[in-house]
Amino acid sequence: MKCFLFALMMLLFAAASSASQDNDFLSAREAFQKGDRQRLNHYAMALQKHELWPYVDYFQLRSVINTTDSTTIQNFLSRHEGSLVADRLRSDWVKILGKGRQWQFFDKEYPRVVNKDTELQCYYYQRYWDIKNVAITAEVRTLWFSSINILDSCSPVFQALIDNGQISLDEIWKRIRLALSDGKTTTAIRIGRYLSNANEALNAKELDRAARNPKKYLDTIHSPINSRSNREIALFALLQLLRNDTDQALAQWHKVKNRLPASDRSYFLVKLGYRAAMRHDARALGWFKEAQNGPQPYPASDKALGWHVRAALRARNWDEVLAAIKRMSSAEQQFDSWRYWKARALSEKKQVSDARQILASLSEEHSFYGQLAKEELGKELYFTDKAYQVNDREVSAMSQRPGIQRALAFARMQLRTEAYHEWSWAVRDFTDAELLTAAEVARRPGLYDRAINTANRTESQHDFKMRFLSPHREIMKDIVRMYGLDEALVYALIRQESRFIADIKSHAGAAGLMQLMPATANWVAKKLGMTDFHQYKLADVSTNLQLGTYYLHHVLISLDNQPLLALAAYNAGPGRARRWRDDSKTLEGVIYAETIPFNETRDYVKKVMENAMYYAKILNPEQNTPTLKQRLGVISPK
């Protein structure tokens, strides 16, 4: 008995000591964030045996990196070589080297940085432009046409390519147009500084007028729109109107279109078609065609062509589906969605052999479209139960790896972002067997998000029960039975919403396993007669499941017991889910899902439906379950 009490006391002492050390780490982290070096150094003295000591060491050195000699920095990198903090410090240091044009150290350290951001890459481009290695020209041009803001480290390289004629005057204006189409007026003005003739640049005052009141600005245009600057501002004003109202923008378009060159007219018609397609406006296809058939067709982006395809799907126009996919970049065409729709279009046009060839390849992929491809070929969803078997010895050894320990320590302190980055770094080069072992390490203390995401990374050895974990099943069974819900669908929804993190909270305020918004939770709690409900109870598994399943049941009932509509409603609201139906005809569920205007919701319903197929097989392996197409159903008109 005495031995037992002594052991218990030692355990309690160790737990208290660990908690105290964790609190010291949090205080050190806060001191670093506030720039309080004296307080940081005070806490650092007690943390040299803590799992997260490398971070404390990083905090101390990062605080003085601008005045630290290279030997001290290299000693740090040697102490922590191979760790995430070493990569971060090396990245910080190499940026300082690039800014100071200290190329000797830069050349040595830059290749060793793993996580290279755009700022750092631009210093690399500066260096290799200096030594006349023009092999980076293509990379810089790609960066020029991206939608990122212009960074200070990138400006000298862009200017060099402009001076050399490798970025033309027209391409400067295209980059200005890209910024304006995203509503980034400050970025557009900054890009305008690259124009050799300052008199040709955007008029900042006119641009501001167009941004503040685009209709009023367009109403004041009476003279010809001759300069490139005025044309771009007029197009910007039209796009501002188009963001909110198709018809208002169209009315203004008819007033000014004849004063614009053919290429500009084509550009706006693509934008008009794009916005109209997102609003399920039947006129979208006509505008896409008009843009393409003019004398100077403006090249549509892959994003616009994606909505060209979606507009064609709503109209059942398979010729347009094929034509729009064909005009996409080769990389875009390889996305599983466009391969599937190309196969469907070919099949509808009786080109069955070509369609089946695409579907055969796609059906091997574990994805929403991979499952649909299987069904098109008459195959069932199948996966082996013979997963790699992880043993306790492997789990124990994996738990001792420093990177894993650091990630677990961050998770213990509820620092989820840090835990995510540390864990991702630790498993980045793992074999399938190591990934599944790490997933088991995460599963045991309830880090279900890390377990699922890690198991998802395997390439040939898979554990689908780990990918599709089903915790809290005893509680779940009774609750879903009460509301007559599909257990697989509820698990699929939770997996997508929270990865089973009970106390997670989104930026928007949604909380718990089923990510309920405060107003929704209060409304459901009143419906269920929960007189003692408070928002903090959303972190309780049972309470969250009761509220969330009731709400899912409610939206199912109000939306014709159609799971696809209910999922769209759960993510984006019932009003939108209803509005996205067709005005007059039924829609295949898969077309409804594909043409949801919100990227997040479109991805969400596909992922949940895909997840539900796996959960049905895992939870009830002996039962016949609906196909994915049956789950998606047919969506009735408004």
Side-chain angles (χ1 to χ4, degrees):
M1 184 67 178
K2 287 181 178 179
C3 290
F4 171 75
L5 289 173
F6 178 75
L8 180 61
M9 288 175 63
M10 291 301 293
L11 283 172
L12 292 172
F13 176 78
S17 176
S18 176
S20 175
Q21 287 252 299
D22 286 354
N23 287 333
D24 284 349
F25 175 80
L26 292 171
S27 296
R29 175 175 174 268
E30 181 184 47
F32 168 66
Q33 291 171 340
K34 291 183 176 179
D36 189 341
R37 285 168 51 196
Q38 184 176 353
R39 188 163 171 255
L40 169 60
N41 293 335
H42 166 75
Y43 284 107
M45 294 175 65
L47 288 166
Q48 294 186 24
K49 301 293 184 183
H50 195 271
E51 304 105 306
L52 297 177
W53 163 251
Y55 280 85
V56 181
D57 201 9
Y58 169 81
F59 296 157
Q60 289 183 297
L61 185 51
R62 185 65 184 82
S63 299
V64 294
I65 192 170
N66 289 311
T67 57
T68 301
D69 63 273
S70 62
T71 301
T72 302
I73 292 172
Q74 288 175 328
N75 286 340
F76 174 94
L77 295 174
S78 296
R79 283 198 303 278
H80 304 295
E81 189 60 58
S83 69
L84 178 57
V85 287
D87 193 63
R88 282 186 181 168
L89 190 85
R90 181 173 276 119
S91 176
D92 296 336
W93 184 38
V94 173
K95 286 176 186 176
I96 292 169
L97 295 173
K99 189 174 183 179
R101 304 179 70 80
Q102 299 177 55
W103 299 124
Q104 182 180 354
F105 281 124
F106 182 96
D107 290 347
K108 178 183 176 184
E109 298 296 337
Y110 176 84
R112 302 175 71 182
V113 179
V114 176
N115 293 325
K116 297 179 175 76
D117 61 17
T118 303
E119 181 185 3
L120 188 54
Q121 286 174 327
C122 279
Y123 283 124
Y124 167 79
Y125 297 149
Q126 279 191 45
R127 170 60 170 155
Y128 279 92
W129 186 264
D130 280 354
I131 61 174
K132 307 303 180 188
N133 184 341
V134 294
I136 51 93
T137 300
E139 296 173 51
V140 177
R141 283 178 54 80
T142 299
L143 187 60
W144 174 259
F145 288 111
S146 71
S147 59
I148 65 157
N149 293 328
I150 302 293
L151 302 173
D152 289 341
S153 64
C154 300
S155 290
V157 195
F158 291 148
Q159 189 64 62
L161 263 66
I162 290 166
D163 293 343
N164 236 35
Q166 290 169 301
I167 292 178
S168 68
L169 176 63
D170 187 54
E171 287 172 330
I172 296 173
W173 279 110
K174 283 182 179 178
R175 184 64 181 82
I176 290 171
R177 179 174 284 184
L178 179 63
L180 290 177
S181 70
D182 290 338
K184 297 178 179 178
T185 54
T186 303
T187 301
I189 293 292
R190 184 172 181 184
I191 297 164
R193 294 173 188 161
Y194 289 106
L195 294 166
S196 56
N197 187 343
N199 294 326
E200 295 176 354
L202 289 171
N203 185 311
K205 289 183 179 179
E206 292 294 293
L207 186 59
D208 182 60
R209 282 181 56 221
R212 284 188 287 109
N213 193 331
K215 183 179 182 301
K216 184 177 179 181
Y217 175 82
L218 290 165
D219 283 337
T220 62
I221 298 177
H222 301 296
S223 57
I225 310 173
N226 293 326
S227 73
R228 182 69 187 259
S229 173
N230 288 341
R231 282 161 43 203
E232 295 300 338
I233 295 174
L235 288 167
F236 166 72
L238 287 165
L239 294 182
Q240 291 296 96
L241 290 176
L242 187 56
R243 286 176 187 274
N244 299 313
D245 189 301
T246 305
D247 289 325
Q248 189 178 36
L250 187 62
Q252 292 294 329
W253 166 244
H254 287 308
K255 293 178 183 179
V256 301
K257 66 178 182 178
N258 291 330
R259 288 182 262 173
L260 296 170
S263 178
D264 287 357
R265 294 199 297 271
S266 175
Y267 167 75
F268 181 75
L269 286 166
V270 169
K271 294 291 187 181
L272 191 57
Y274 167 70
R275 288 289 177 183
M278 290 181 71
R279 291 167 183 151
H280 302 150
D281 187 326
R283 297 171 292 180
L285 269 186
W287 287 322
F288 279 127
K289 289 180 185 178
E290 188 181 350
Q292 179 64 20
N293 295 334
Q296 290 180 279
Y298 192 85
S301 66
D302 284 334
K303 185 189 290 187
L305 288 167
W307 277 101
H308 190 160
V309 173
R310 295 183 181 107
L313 289 172
R314 302 273 296 200
R316 310 292 202 285
N317 189 327
W318 299 105
D319 287 326
E320 282 295 307
V321 168
L322 287 172
I325 292 174
K326 186 177 181 180
R327 289 172 54 212
M328 291 175 174
S329 67
S330 56
E332 184 74 13
Q333 289 185 46
Q334 294 309 306
F335 279 99
D336 55 357
S337 54
W338 307 133
R339 286 153 57 209
Y340 173 77
W341 287 117
K342 181 178 181 179
R344 281 288 308 275
L346 289 169
S347 181
E348 293 286 342
K349 291 176 66 60
K350 311 304 181 188
Q351 298 177 38
V352 178
S353 177
D354 291 340
R356 291 181 70 85
Q357 187 175 351
I358 296 171
L359 292 170
S361 172
L362 187 55
S363 69
E364 299 300 316
E365 300 176 16
H366 300 297
S367 68
F368 177 81
Y369 292 102
Q371 289 185 27
L372 287 172
K374 279 186 177 70
E375 293 174 8
E376 294 288 342
L377 296 171
K379 300 178 182 179
E380 289 188 12
L381 175 65
Y382 171 80
F383 54 87
T384 179
D385 286 332
K386 296 178 181 178
Y388 177 82
Q389 296 298 310
V390 176
N391 61 51
D392 288 342
R393 178 181 56 78
E394 290 171 318
V395 171
S396 178
M398 180 63 70
S399 299
Q400 298 306 309
R401 295 198 184 195
I404 298 294
Q405 288 191 332
R406 288 192 289 269
L408 294 174
F410 277 130
R412 184 175 70 232
M413 288 182 267
Q414 300 294 303
L415 298 175
R416 288 199 180 96
T417 300
E418 289 88 342
Y420 166 80
H421 288 304
E422 187 66 53
W423 185 276
S424 298
W425 176 269
V427 305
R428 71 193 188 284
D429 295 323
F430 277 11
T431 64
D432 284 357
E434 288 173 320
L435 286 169
L436 293 175
T437 305
E440 176 62 15
V441 169
R443 185 198 65 81
R444 292 188 180 186
L447 300 178
Y448 301 124
D449 62 322
R450 294 297 91 222
I452 291 168
N453 289 4
T454 305
N456 269 350
R457 290 168 56 99
T458 57
E459 294 181 359
S460 57
Q461 293 178 297
H462 306 302
D463 184 345
F464 282 91
K465 288 183 179 178
M466 185 69 79
R467 287 188 180 196
F468 298 93
L469 290 173
S470 51
H472 318 302
R473 198 170 180 205
E474 288 306 310
I475 301 172
M476 178 75 83
K477 278 183 176 179
D478 292 337
I479 292 175
V480 297
R481 192 181 301 121
M482 184 188 311
Y483 295 118
L485 293 172
D486 175 5
E487 184 184 22
L489 186 70
V490 178
Y491 264 116
L493 182 149
I494 296 171
R495 183 184 187 273
Q496 192 61 25
E497 288 283 357
S498 67
R499 286 292 199 266
F500 303 100
I501 303 173
D503 60 348
I504 196 169
K505 197 167 187 177
S506 75
H507 294 300
L513 290 180
M514 297 188 73
Q515 287 291 277
L516 291 161
M517 293 295 289
T520 302
N522 285 330
W523 178 80
V524 175
K526 287 179 182 177
K527 288 284 185 182
L528 294 176
M530 292 184 178
T531 55
D532 62 341
F533 174 72
H534 296 282
Q535 290 294 322
Y536 71 83
K537 292 190 175 183
L538 286 174
D540 175 70
V541 169
S542 179
T543 302
N544 196 283
L545 288 176
Q546 288 180 62
L547 296 172
T549 52
Y550 178 92
Y551 181 64
L552 180 60
H553 172 72
H554 165 75
V555 293
L556 264 169
I557 295 292
S558 67
L559 290 163
D560 307 326
N561 282 309
Q562 173 52 268
L564 178 58
L565 288 178
L567 292 175
Y570 198 94
N571 183 263
R576 292 191 180 101
R578 293 187 181 93
R579 192 160 65 244
W580 294 334
R581 296 178 296 182
D582 195 89
D583 287 331
S584 58
K585 58 182 180 289
T586 58
L587 281 176
E588 268 188 80
V590 65
I591 292 179
Y592 175 93
E594 184 60 67
T595 57
I596 290 173
F598 293 179
N599 294 340
E600 179 191 323
T601 307
R602 186 169 64 253
D603 183 61
Y604 174 86
V605 299
K606 292 177 187 177
K607 288 282 178 57
V608 176
M609 283 295 189
E610 176 195 343
N611 294 348
M613 294 292 293
Y614 285 104
Y615 273 114
K617 291 285 186 183
I618 290 168
L619 299 175
N620 300 294
E622 304 304 320
Q623 292 183 10
N624 290 325
T625 56
T627 66
L628 180 54
K629 268 203 167 182
Q630 287 169 340
R631 286 181 179 276
L632 291 164
V634 176
I635 307 301
S636 61
K638 294 178 187 176

